């Protein structure tokens, strides 16, 4: 009898015109069939990967993100993501949403309920990042991170809760780290850590608040470097950002977004009344699901992996080859060297992360670097106005000091491997302009070296 029923279902599926990839049999047997997921920031990266995993079950997906038109440097829009989702068998509603805007979020929630009849799962994935220190982080960027990460998560949860209460197995999943009150995760980027931990505090509080309503609230964080195809990073990269999400050799040490997608699936398909208030790590949750082979998630199988930050990992952890602290230190050094655009580009992005009004006030000079060799070009460093600026090309105003040297020696100098005085005395460095102001640059070089 059971076999006969299966045959009937299969026959119906075969006769359906223009059938999508997911068959009716798979939909009926899947755990997210007909469920509606509201995912923020799902136009690319981890958010899109989670959406595509759910789409294979025949789920309804709402992409709530800002990218409606192609970005000049980043792939994907809400519409290209929607197309990919529907090809996998899911239904999709792309919504242009800035999660800082309460009215926009409410409109997207209302449209979701109107189209799909409700909301079963909320994935708070959207996030902004800037790893500058306290002096180097301007309040505009601070406000952006807190408005998206903490406030955006809180707002989306608040507006979805009334509909989640009507679901048979409702979940809220935040892409945020465990709540570890360890100073080492705060000291280098207090602003970002506070914003990200704010998402985790939502998990801690809401899990208990919504327990009686049967709504699960959990967090998910990657164990290894989330170069996990995260593309949408803050333009003002710092050295740690290059480490985690840069191109070149660094990407080989990362895992793909699929590991986050599979672990998210494992969480949101659990019983919401019995699995809540957990701070999950992707690899750990999948191990509990019986996964033993993680090579399929590696960007380059066999290549040593890098641990992600916000996790206190034991030195003998089998996931990583070698001492974890050594891996961290080596990856910090490689981060600058592996940036698309070369070592010089990476070094100037690192310099940007150290700029602040105090350095500008104490330096008061504009420097120009005319580099030769394998990465020849002209670069400028303006430490005369605002919070400072650095980038390619000559400075807009007249430079107080012009440095001429080989690009390899430039990198060595800022790494502390070549003293400026030695470079000058041996002819590797030529200086034109105010020597007194040139000497002030040494302090900034020391700050850069200390971050490596």
């Amino acid at each position: 009898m059971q076999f006969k029923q299966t045959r009937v279902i299969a026959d119906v599926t075969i006769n359906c015109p223009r059938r999508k990839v997911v068959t009716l049999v798979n939909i009926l047997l899947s755990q997210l069939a007909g469920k509606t997921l509201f995912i923020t920031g799902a136009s690319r990266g981890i958010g899109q990967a989670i959406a595509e995993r759910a789409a294979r079950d025949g789920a309804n997906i709402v992409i709530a993100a800002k990218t409606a038109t192609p970005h000049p440097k980043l792939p994907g829009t809400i519409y290209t993501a929607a197309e990919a989702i529907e090809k996998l068998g899911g239904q999709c509603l792309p919504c242009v949403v800035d999660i800082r805007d309460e009215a926009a979020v409410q409109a997207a929630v209302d449209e979701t309920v109107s189209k799909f009849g409700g909301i079963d799962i909320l994935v708070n994935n959207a996030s902004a990042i800037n790893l500058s220190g306290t002096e180097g982080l301007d309040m505009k960027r601070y406000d952006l991170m807190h408005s998206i990460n903490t406030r955006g998560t809180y707002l989306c949860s608040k507006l979805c809760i009334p509909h989640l209460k009507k679901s048979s197995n409702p979940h809220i999943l935040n892409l945020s780290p465990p709540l570890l009150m360890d100073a080492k995760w705060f000291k280098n980027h207090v602003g970002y850590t506070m914003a990200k931990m704010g998402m985790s505090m939502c998990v801690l509080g809401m899990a208990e608040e919504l327990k009686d309503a049967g709504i699960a609230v959990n967090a998910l964080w990657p164990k290894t470097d989330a170069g996990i195809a995260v593309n949408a990073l803050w333009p003002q990269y710092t050295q740690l950002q290059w480490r985690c999400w840069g191109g070149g050799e660094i990407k080989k040490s990362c895992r793909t977004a699929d590991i986050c997608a599979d672990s998210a699936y494992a969480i949101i398909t659990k019983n919401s009344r019995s699995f809540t208030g957990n701070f999950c790590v992707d690899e750990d949750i999948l191990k509990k699901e019986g996964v033993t082979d993680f090579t399929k998630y590696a960007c380059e199988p066999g290549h040593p992996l890098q641990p992600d930050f916000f996790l206190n990992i034991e030195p003998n952890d089998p996931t990583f080859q070698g001492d974890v602290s050594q891996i961290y230190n080596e990856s910090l050094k490689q981060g600058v060297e592996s940036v698309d655009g070369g070592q010089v580009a990476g070094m100037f992005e690192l310099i940007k992360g150290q700029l602040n009004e105090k350095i500008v006030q104490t330096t008061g000079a504009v420097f120009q670097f005319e580099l030769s060799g394998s990465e020849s070009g002209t670069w400028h460093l303006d430490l005369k106005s605002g919070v400072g600026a650095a980038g390619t090309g000559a400075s807009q105003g007249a430079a107080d000091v012009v440095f001429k040297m080989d690009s390899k020696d430039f990198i060595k100098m800022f790494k502390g491997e070549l003293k400026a005085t030695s470079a000058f005395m041996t002819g590797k460095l030529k200086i034109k302009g105010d020597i007194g102001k040139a000497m002030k640059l040494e302090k900034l070089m020391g700050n850069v070296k200390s971050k490596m």
Side-chain angles (χ1 to χ4, degrees):
M1 187 67 176
Q2 184 176 4
F3 176 77
K4 186 176 180 181
Q5 289 176 335
T6 305
R7 282 292 302 275
V8 171
I9 293 172
D11 288 342
V12 171
T13 301
I14 293 170
N15 292 328
C16 284
R18 301 174 63 84
R19 187 63 187 155
K20 295 179 181 179
V21 175
V22 178
T23 67
L24 184 57
V25 174
N26 288 335
I27 290 177
L28 291 176
L29 295 177
S30 67
Q31 299 190 64
L32 295 180
K35 299 287 187 180
T36 298
L37 287 75
F38 191 101
I39 309 177
T40 65
S43 59
R44 59 175 68 92
I46 293 173
Q48 183 179 348
I50 293 174
E52 291 181 357
R53 178 64 184 86
R56 294 188 181 97
D57 272 20
N60 306 317
I61 310 295
V62 179
I63 300 176
K66 293 196 303 179
T67 310
T69 57
H71 189 281
K73 295 183 179 180
L74 303 175
T77 67
I78 59 174
Y79 303 112
T80 58
E83 183 180 0
I85 288 165
E86 293 187 341
K87 284 182 179 179
L88 291 170
Q91 294 190 68
C92 188
L93 173 63
C95 295
V96 180
V97 179
D98 183 339
I99 64 171
R100 296 172 292 177
D101 184 342
E102 183 176 357
V105 177
Q106 184 66 70
V109 169
D110 291 343
E111 190 176 357
T112 299
V113 175
S114 176
K115 182 176 178 65
F116 297 125
I119 298 174
D120 300 285
I121 298 160
L122 167 64
V123 179
N124 286 307
N125 167 71
S127 188
I129 179 172
N130 186 297
L131 300 179
S132 297
T134 301
E135 289 184 290
L137 180 64
D138 62 70
M139 295 312 296
K140 180 180 179 181
R141 291 176 172 83
Y142 175 94
D143 290 341
L144 178 71
M145 287 192 291
H146 284 260
S147 295
I148 293 177
N149 300 7
T150 304
R151 185 181 183 276
T153 294
Y154 187 94
L155 173 60
C156 291
S157 300
K158 172 184 172 65
L159 298 183
C160 286
I161 286 171
H163 305 287
L164 291 169
K165 287 181 176 179
K166 301 174 185 179
S167 174
S168 60
N169 192 42
H171 282 264
I172 296 176
L173 178 63
N174 295 351
L175 273 294
S176 63
L179 277 173
L180 295 177
M181 296 296 104
D182 192 326
K184 69 181 179 181
W185 301 129
F186 286 82
K187 66 176 183 177
N188 291 325
H189 35 76
V190 177
Y192 173 65
T193 302
M194 289 170 63
K196 205 64 185 173
M197 290 295 182
M199 296 176 68
S200 299
M201 292 176 74
C202 286
V203 172
L204 183 70
M206 290 182 188
E208 193 67 23
E209 177 188 2
L210 303 175
K211 183 179 292 185
D212 291 342
I215 301 175
V217 187
N218 296 290
L220 173 64
W221 197 245
K223 184 172 186 177
T224 64
D225 238 358
I228 286 189
V230 177
N231 300 309
L233 292 178
W234 188 265
Q236 296 290 338
Y237 290 103
T238 66
Q239 188 253 5
L240 270 174
Q241 283 172 291
W242 287 122
R243 176 181 69 82
C244 294
W245 293 287
E249 292 297 315
I250 295 300
K251 189 174 182 180
K252 296 179 181 180
S253 302
C254 302
R255 283 173 170 165
T256 68
D258 291 340
I259 190 169
C260 284
D262 288 347
S263 50
Y265 181 90
I267 293 169
I268 61 179
T269 54
K270 292 185 182 298
N271 188 319
S272 63
R273 290 189 175 274
S274 60
F275 192 84
T276 186
N278 301 286
F279 293 93
C280 307
V281 175
D282 57 3
E283 182 180 298
D284 296 342
I285 197 75
L286 289 178
K287 282 182 177 178
K288 292 179 180 179
E289 294 295 309
V291 177
T292 57
D293 183 7
F294 289 86
T295 56
K296 65 179 181 178
Y297 299 118
C299 289
E300 183 170 309
H303 195 283
L305 296 170
Q306 291 180 177
D308 202 272
F309 49 91
F310 290 137
L311 295 176
N312 290 331
I313 298 173
E314 296 297 326
N316 60 350
D317 192 306
T319 298
F320 308 103
Q321 300 178 25
D323 180 73
V324 171
S325 60
Q326 182 178 355
I327 293 172
Y328 268 123
N329 292 334
E330 288 301 314
S331 63
L332 289 174
K333 293 179 180 179
Q334 292 173 12
V336 174
E337 298 176 2
S338 303
V339 179
D340 292 336
Q343 298 183 52
V344 172
M347 186 60 72
F348 269 93
E349 292 296 342
L350 175 54
I351 292 171
K352 286 181 184 179
Q354 307 306 312
L355 301 184
N356 55 61
E357 292 181 353
K358 185 177 180 180
I359 289 178
V360 170
Q361 291 171 0
T362 56
T363 307
V366 176
F367 305 98
Q368 186 166 301
F369 301 85
E370 297 179 359
L371 306 180
S372 57
S374 59
E375 295 185 42
S376 60
T378 300
W379 299 77
H380 68 272
L381 176 58
D382 183 349
L383 298 181
K384 186 174 279 189
S385 58
V387 295
T392 58
S395 56
Q396 292 185 352
D400 296 292
V401 184
V402 177
F403 298 92
K404 292 185 178 182
M405 63 191 311
D406 187 274
S407 55
K408 291 183 178 179
D409 290 329
F410 170 83
I411 293 296
K412 289 180 181 179
M413 191 171 70
F414 270 85
K415 281 186 175 182
E417 298 173 0
L418 174 65
K419 291 183 179 296
T421 51
S422 298
F424 180 75
M425 295 299 292
T426 56
K428 293 181 178 180
L429 168 64
K430 295 181 179 179
I431 302 175
K432 180 181 179 181
D434 191 325
I435 299 297
K437 290 184 176 180
M439 294 176 65
K440 291 185 177 181
L441 188 61
E442 195 162 350
K443 181 178 180 180
L444 178 60
M445 291 165 57
N447 290 338
V448 172
K449 180 186 175 183
S450 68
K451 298 293 181 181
M452 299 185 61

